[in-house]
Amino acid sequence: MLFNSYAFILAYLPITLLGFFLFGRLGKGVGAAWLAACSLFFYGWWDYRYLALLLASICANYAAGGYIARHAGRPQARRALAGAVALNLALLGYYKYADFFLSSVNTALGTEYPLLCIILPIGISFFTFTQIAFLSDAYAGKVTEYRFVYYLLFVTYFPHLIAGPVLHHKEMMPQFDEDENYRPNAANFAIGLSIFAIGLAKKVLLADNLAGYAGPAFAPNADPPTFFLAWGAALAYTFQLYFDFSGYSDMAIGLSRLFGVRLPLNFNSPYKSRNITEFWRRWHMTLSRFLRDYLYIPLGGNRHGPLRRQANLLATMVLGGLWHGAGWNFVIWGALHGFFLVINHSWKEIVQHIPLRLPTKLGSILATALTFLCVVFAWVYFRAPDLGTANRILYGMLGYFGAAVPEPILARLGLLATLFDSLGIRGSLGGGANFAETWLWVCFAAVLAFLAPNTQEIMGRFEPALPEEHHRELRAVRHLAWQPSRFWAIATSLLLALGVLALSRPTEFLYFQF
């Protein structure tokens, strides 16, 4: 079931909310059980056959977590933690990577092992990582709540189950145990619906419209793209993914707020980042936190010198890339970001000894532009179905296939057409209208991504709030700050109505495939 569907908005959500508050009157455990049951129904809507897998994973990890906590500090707790984590990774590896491994072996060795053609259970990466974090927290003595109904709800909680955020046990359990969350709250409804409306608009009005301009060039059998076509497709996907995941993150936070539960921030205008390290603090923030806490730091982090730190960064990002998908294109995407991070850290050390400094504003603009270009190039591997398609798009972006502008566009350029003609930039891209529409959408999306305030800035007076270092940004947009007023009630209603009216053909969120 999709957040951006009539079935969800007009049936599932109202029934779930009504039942939650009605059953909550009978007790917190009853209300939590109802919400957990509804979350299981939400998951089973996709494919009920995998409900057994999800429930088996939950029961096994709940039992393992309890055992680990009871024996904390003893050797058996460490062994149980290692065994439970290994079983989780084995389950994830079988469903997500078995066919990738077999196809790679067949390619490398010329063998013909038959592929298993396994259907990937939706959300398996997220509920696996969530439970690995629970096991680690139990071992560290950070788990204090062990009631099964709350743990079941913690894992299956529908706003985050399919595509995150990746949650910590300690973030959610206290909220499930708060009496006031089981009673309707007008402030929560107003804030939650406003955030949900913004996210829905991002998804159906922006991301879904950009998708049509990115897809054709990334088709496996597409013609080699010329310079402007390749860049148009790459940028269209760059902003499609941005608004798709930003929209999902907003919708998840907004939906959760209706139940009085505050999810952590997961997306904070990453394209405004001035370096790749900042990008990963803003993009999929909870996944970055997980990779740092449970992979980078256990590998040694920055505790063993610069060379070991660079190796740890590369290893973390390669594994992070592989987590996103079973394919060499994801491995390369992760390796590219690891390489960017290594350069970023090395550059920071170098500039400490360089007396020359660019003006602050100019330096910030150049740094943001360079970071964005690196991200766009890496997204090509993330989006492409195979390495051949990715390389073809990158060749086009580098001008390898020429730089053609459609004749209908040239006809409107007047004197500029002569200049383009003299440079050999002339030809057809399959229709001037699509060419113009692509770049108009790209420019419009870029203005919103780089210049418009994000959801957290608009809703900055209410949790979840931005980190303290962004408070200056909040002051800059205080005239657009959301507040419970007639103006915002009308604006939110219009935005929600536009989003609902655009739901004629709901599409999946891009992160659902991971």
Side-chain angles (χ1 to χ4, degrees):
M1 189 181 300
L2 300 171
F3 294 165
N4 54 322
S5 66
Y6 290 124
F8 178 86
I9 294 173
L10 301 180
Y12 176 86
L13 182 59
I15 293 172
T16 301
L17 269 173
L18 180 62
F20 177 71
F21 293 118
L22 286 177
F23 286 110
R25 290 176 175 270
L26 303 177
K28 293 179 292 188
V30 181
W34 165 261
L35 189 52
C38 291
S39 297
L40 288 170
F41 177 85
F42 176 84
Y43 187 83
W45 184 274
W46 169 72
D47 193 333
Y48 67 90
R49 293 173 298 176
Y50 284 101
L51 275 175
L53 175 69
L54 175 61
L55 288 170
S57 173
I58 289 170
C59 292
N61 281 286
Y62 175 75
Y67 178 87
I68 291 168
R70 290 192 300 273
H71 297 83
R74 302 175 190 173
Q76 54 262 50
R78 180 182 291 273
R79 290 194 295 269
L81 174 65
V85 170
L87 286 174
N88 277 285
L89 293 178
L91 182 70
L92 180 63
Y94 171 75
Y95 279 101
K96 195 165 186 176
Y97 304 107
D99 279 341
F100 169 62
F101 174 77
L102 289 172
S103 62
S104 297
V105 169
N106 288 340
T107 301
L109 303 180
T111 54
E112 296 182 358
Y113 294 116
L115 300 184
L116 303 177
C117 299
I118 300 169
I119 298 175
L120 181 68
I122 192 168
I124 188 172
S125 297
F126 289 96
F127 70 70
T128 299
F129 273 27
T130 295
Q131 295 190 98
I132 288 176
F134 162 72
L135 295 171
S136 299
D137 288 347
Y139 179 78
K142 298 178 181 178
V143 175
T144 57
E145 172 59 65
Y146 287 100
R147 278 174 282 188
F148 179 74
V149 66
Y150 286 171
Y151 181 75
L152 177 65
L153 179 56
F154 161 64
V155 178
T156 63
Y157 189 46
F158 77 88
H160 90 99
L161 175 60
I162 305 301
V166 181
L167 300 175
H168 280 295
H169 187 269
K170 62 183 179 181
E171 291 173 325
M172 304 301 292
M173 289 306 192
Q175 299 191 71
F176 294 148
D177 200 37
E178 291 180 8
D179 291 329
E180 58 268 25
N181 287 347
Y182 293 86
R183 294 190 292 269
N185 184 292
N188 286 337
F189 286 163
I191 295 167
L193 284 175
S194 297
I195 297 174
F196 179 82
I198 295 172
L200 180 64
K202 289 178 182 178
K203 167 62 177 172
V204 301
L205 302 180
L206 294 170
D208 288 351
N209 280 306
L210 284 161
Y213 301 107
F218 281 96
N221 298 321
D223 294 331
T226 54
F227 180 83
F228 289 103
L229 179 59
W231 273 101
L235 289 171
Y237 178 72
T238 294
F239 291 113
Q240 177 201 356
L241 182 59
Y242 178 94
F243 288 109
D244 190 279
F245 191 44
S246 177
Y248 173 85
S249 299
D250 287 347
M251 294 168 79
I253 288 174
L255 289 168
S256 186
R257 187 60 180 263
L258 298 176
F259 298 90
V261 177
R262 292 156 175 80
L263 294 181
L265 292 179
N266 205 32
F267 196 92
N268 182 26
S269 296
Y271 292 165
K272 296 178 182 178
S273 304
R274 288 169 291 183
N275 56 66
I276 205 68
T277 302
E278 183 183 354
F279 173 83
W280 279 105
R281 292 192 186 120
R282 289 171 171 259
W283 179 278
H284 210 327
M285 298 155 70
T286 58
L287 176 63
S288 299
R289 179 184 65 180
F290 181 93
L291 293 174
R292 179 198 66 201
D293 293 346
Y294 299 107
L295 188 56
Y296 175 69
I297 292 177
L299 285 173
N302 58 1
R303 299 190 300 272
H304 303 289
L307 289 179
R308 176 69 178 273
R309 179 187 66 187
Q310 315 295 33
N312 291 338
L313 281 172
L314 278 170
T316 300
M317 294 312 299
V318 168
L319 290 172
L322 194 58
W323 174 87
H324 280 84
W328 288 108
N329 52 324
F330 290 105
V331 173
I332 292 175
W333 173 77
L336 283 172
H337 274 277
F339 182 64
F340 296 154
L341 286 168
V342 168
I343 293 176
N344 180 224
H345 283 279
S346 301
W347 176 251
K348 285 182 178 179
E349 296 174 359
I350 292 173
V351 296
Q352 293 176 357
H353 308 288
I354 298 178
L356 181 63
R357 294 286 188 274
L358 288 172
T360 304
K361 190 68 175 178
L362 176 60
S364 178
I365 292 173
L366 291 176
T368 301
L370 179 60
T371 302
F372 179 70
L373 286 175
C374 290
V375 170
V376 173
F377 269 89
W379 281 146
V380 173
Y381 283 101
F382 193 85
R383 168 62 178 85
D386 52 62
L387 294 182
T389 302
N391 292 334
R392 187 178 69 235
I393 295 290
L394 288 177
Y395 286 152
M397 293 170 68
L398 296 173
Y400 185 81
F401 302 119
V405 176
E407 296 289 352
I409 300 297
L410 285 174
R412 300 185 183 97
L413 292 179
L415 292 176
L416 285 177
T418 304
L419 175 61
F420 282 135
D421 193 37
S422 66
L423 295 174
I425 304 175
R426 195 175 183 86
S428 175
L429 292 177
N434 288 338
F435 179 91
E437 289 173 11
T438 299
W439 283 94
L440 283 173
W441 272 103
V442 164
C443 291
F444 178 61
V447 168
L448 292 179
F450 285 103
L451 301 179
N454 63 30
T455 308
Q456 290 75 44
E457 291 166 347
I458 293 172
M459 307 295 299
R461 298 175 180 174
F462 306 92
E463 292 184 79
L466 283 169
E468 187 175 346
E469 60 264 26
H470 297 286
H471 284 187
R472 182 182 300 176
E473 298 174 20
L474 296 182
R475 289 193 293 272
V477 298
R478 61 184 180 274
H479 57 286
L480 291 176
W482 185 95
Q483 55 186 327
S485 65
R486 181 177 299 175
F487 168 79
W488 277 107
I490 295 173
T492 300
S493 299
L494 288 174
L495 202 58
L496 188 60
L498 285 173
V500 171
L501 289 173
L503 293 181
S504 57
R505 191 171 56 86
T507 59
E508 284 192 354
F509 292 90
L510 295 177
Y511 257 77
F512 276 25
Q513 62 186 290
F514 308 132

